[in-house]
Amino acid sequence: MTQKVARTVAGSGRSSGFTLLELLVVMAIIGLLAAYVGPKYFSQLGKSEHNVAKAQIEAFAKALDNFRLDAGRYPTTAEGLNALASKPVNVRTWNGPYLAKEIPLDPWGKTYIYKNPGTRGRDFDIISYGSDGQPGGSDTAADIYN
């Protein structure tokens, strides 16, 4: 037969466990780790949004090049990026849609700006104004161009 053995702290009649002081030390260590890791994590999050915007702009640029090969020109500013998804009225040789999915918003939930002719010495501009949605800015609010 087996006997039940109660675990007790040597010399006392209490069960073993954690003291309040030990729990507070563990909570302080967890708090210090969170304070150190949190800002690094959130700074990476902002960088990833910029990378997503750059990748989407590159995809638009490739689709616009395909549009130009078929139509003989880039879409006008009025036609915008919508010309990649649906046929503009005055284009006869449209072989789209040129994007696999509908035109996405930028990572901050705003529409991309399309200009033809471009203002930076290019045929067209595709712009995301960053997290603030306003021209100019720095860090996560910086403008992203093609």
Side-chain angles (χ1 to χ4, degrees):
M1 283 196 213
T2 60
Q3 293 181 355
K4 291 185 178 179
V5 179
R7 295 183 151 205
T8 59
V9 177
S12 73
R14 292 185 295 148
S15 299
S16 63
F18 295 108
T19 65
L20 180 60
L21 181 60
E22 291 169 329
L23 290 174
L24 289 175
V25 168
V26 169
M27 294 297 288
I29 291 171
I30 290 172
L32 288 171
L33 286 173
Y36 177 73
V37 173
K40 292 187 181 297
Y41 171 76
F42 287 110
S43 71
Q44 291 299 322
L45 182 62
K47 289 179 186 176
S48 67
E49 289 170 335
H50 261 258
N51 290 338
V52 167
K54 286 179 184 178
Q56 287 177 334
I57 287 173
E58 287 177 19
F60 292 147
K62 289 177 184 176
L64 287 165
D65 287 338
N66 289 335
F67 179 96
R68 181 177 171 264
L69 288 173
D70 292 340
R73 64 173 178 83
Y74 288 110
T76 64
T77 301
E79 292 168 341
L81 295 174
N82 291 328
L84 300 174
S86 59
K87 182 180 178 187
V89 175
N90 58 352
V91 176
R92 291 180 303 155
T93 56
W94 188 84
N95 291 321
Y98 296 96
L99 295 172
K101 297 180 180 179
E102 65 183 47
I103 298 164
L105 299 174
D106 72 7
W108 301 277
K110 297 170 182 71
T111 57
Y112 285 96
I113 309 299
Y114 173 78
K115 296 178 182 178
N116 179 9
T119 58
R120 304 177 70 215
R122 298 182 184 224
D123 293 323
F124 57 86
D125 286 339
I126 306 170
I127 309 163
S128 169
Y129 287 136
S131 62
D132 65 351
Q134 302 295 320
S138 60
D139 295 328
T140 60
D143 299 347
I144 305 166
Y145 288 86
N146 58 317

